[in-house]
Structures are given as structure tokens and as C-alpha cells.
Amino acid sequence: MALVGVITASGLSMVFGSTRALDALDVTVEPGVTGLVGANGAGKTTFMSIVLGLRTPTTGAASVLGLDPLRQGAELRSLVGYGPERNLFPEDMPASDFVKHLAEVRGMPRSEARQRASDALWLVGLGEERFRALGTMSTGQRQRVKLAQAIAADPRLVLLDEPTDGLDPVQRDEMLALIRQISDDYRIDVLLSSHLLEEVERICDHVVALDAGRLVA
């Protein structure tokens, strides 16, 4: 199978001991907003880590934006924003400094990174809160900070792992609308991981459903 599309996997398997997290996965992610759905343990986070070049698959290959995540990982990660599921924040750091630092890590000059961090935090609704320490922020605000740092360096693709986790229904609706707006207004392709099909049906152009590491739809 030719590796084409925003993300393409061919025969992708990932084995941890006796656990097969991905099982000969063949899938192509098209441009737009794509929902990656499945129960916890379906292989969603493992797939994202391979796409980012952070894990080496047991078998198979992947292509992301035409690049090989293993051989061209640094170049790829400069083009991709990532919002992880876990909240691993430096508690005393202001949100603006956190977003600026990660933009610099992706290769953006310091002066530009500072302005982009401010712009991204305003965009996600945290402009007035941008100098607050991360440790003082609510779950909803932290999820918005993760989205801001994912888009601050002007990526071509954004991967979001359970971006509505811990949010109440109103916050969830706002987050989903914000993700859709960012994709539409800034022409950023998005891969959104969720265990809730109802979420992705509302805002996604495409859905990839996994079960026990296999493509089911």
C-alpha cells in the first residue's frame, strides 16, 4: 500500500510483552478534522505516539505529512502540534511562559514565540488569564492551555489526545467548537482522540474507529 494522506499506516503493529496494542493496522487519515475513537485501551494513544516518532512500531510503517516519523522525527515534530491526555504542567510557571517555551522548542524564534503564545492564549479564551500560574488553573483552563501550546507554533497538523477529558458538558461543547473553528479558520488538520463517538460525530469530517488495536470502521 502506498503511503499517502495526512497520516497513513501500513501493517502497523505494536506489541508490549503479551499485549498487542496495534494489530496490522492499515489506515489513511484524510485532510480536515478526523476523530480517532475507541474504548480505553483500543490503541489510540499508541497510534499517536508512533505518528509523532516517539515509539518504534514492532512491524509496519507510517507516513505523516509525507515524512517518516522514525527517520525524520525532528523535522516532523516541528510541523505538528500535540496536546497530550495527561496534565503534566510546571505548576509555578505562567501559562504564557509555558506556551512560549514549547513554541521555541519547535524552532520558533524567541520574540516571535512570545507573541504567538499570547495570540494562542487569547484565541482559546485565556487572554485575561495568560499570566496566571498553571497550578492555579481549573481543569477546563488547563485543557485550553494544552490546545494553545499545540497551535502556537503554526503547525500543519494537530494531534489532541482526549481534549475534553474532565470537562463538564458546557466546557466540552465549547472545546469541541473551538477545535472545529481553529481547523476551519487556520486550515490546520486535526486528529482528535476520544472514547465518545457522540463527540467526534458532531465536529469531525472523518472517523477512524479502533478496537483492540484493529481498524473496525
Side-chain angles (χ1 to χ4, degrees):
M1 181 171 97
L3 296 181
V4 295
V6 177
I7 303 171
T8 307
S10 177
L12 204 63
S13 295
M14 189 75 218
V15 178
F16 301 101
S18 61
T19 301
R20 185 171 289 270
L22 295 176
D23 191 1
L25 182 64
D26 291 332
V27 66
T28 298
V29 174
E30 303 291 346
V33 181
T34 298
L36 181 65
V37 298
N40 291 333
K44 304 186 300 295
T45 299
T46 299
F47 180 68
M48 285 190 169
S49 66
I50 291 173
V51 164
L52 289 165
L54 303 178
R55 291 189 186 277
T56 301
T58 305
T59 60
S63 172
V64 185
L65 302 175
L67 301 173
D68 182 331
L70 295 180
R71 293 188 298 105
Q72 300 166 288
E75 180 182 357
L76 173 63
R77 287 187 289 274
S78 72
L79 303 173
V80 177
Y82 176 52
E85 179 180 9
R86 297 179 66 188
N87 288 318
L88 299 175
F89 290 111
E91 298 287 308
D92 296 331
M93 181 178 283
S96 57
D97 288 353
F98 178 70
V99 176
K100 176 180 74 70
H101 172 70
L102 291 179
E104 290 180 62
V105 168
R106 295 192 180 101
M108 184 167 283
R110 178 170 297 181
S111 58
E112 185 177 358
R114 177 175 286 105
Q115 183 60 51
R116 286 298 186 93
S118 178
D119 292 345
L121 287 164
W122 277 102
L123 180 61
V124 302
L126 291 178
E128 299 288 352
E129 308 289 339
R130 65 191 185 279
F131 300 123
R132 272 184 61 184
L134 292 165
T136 69
M137 289 187 163
S138 68
T139 298
Q141 289 170 326
R142 289 180 176 216
Q143 290 288 25
R144 288 174 182 255
V145 171
K146 286 196 289 188
L147 180 59
Q149 63 80 26
I151 64 173
D154 195 23
R156 290 174 53 190
L157 169 67
V158 169
L159 308 181
L160 301 173
D161 197 352
E162 300 283 359
T164 64
D165 188 44
L167 304 185
D168 64 35
V170 172
Q171 293 172 326
R172 185 178 297 118
D173 289 346
E174 292 173 347
M175 176 62 72
L176 292 171
L178 190 54
I179 292 167
R180 183 75 244 188
Q181 176 194 344
I182 287 168
S183 178
D184 289 343
D185 292 353
Y186 298 96
R187 296 290 185 258
I188 298 173
D189 296 316
V190 176
L191 180 65
L192 164 69
S193 165
S194 176
H195 61 280
L196 300 174
L197 182 59
E198 179 270 337
E199 281 192 356
V200 301
E201 284 180 330
R202 287 172 49 192
I203 68 163
C204 292
D205 305 302
H206 318 284
V207 174
V208 173
L210 300 181
D211 181 42
R214 296 176 180 171
L215 180 69
V216 293

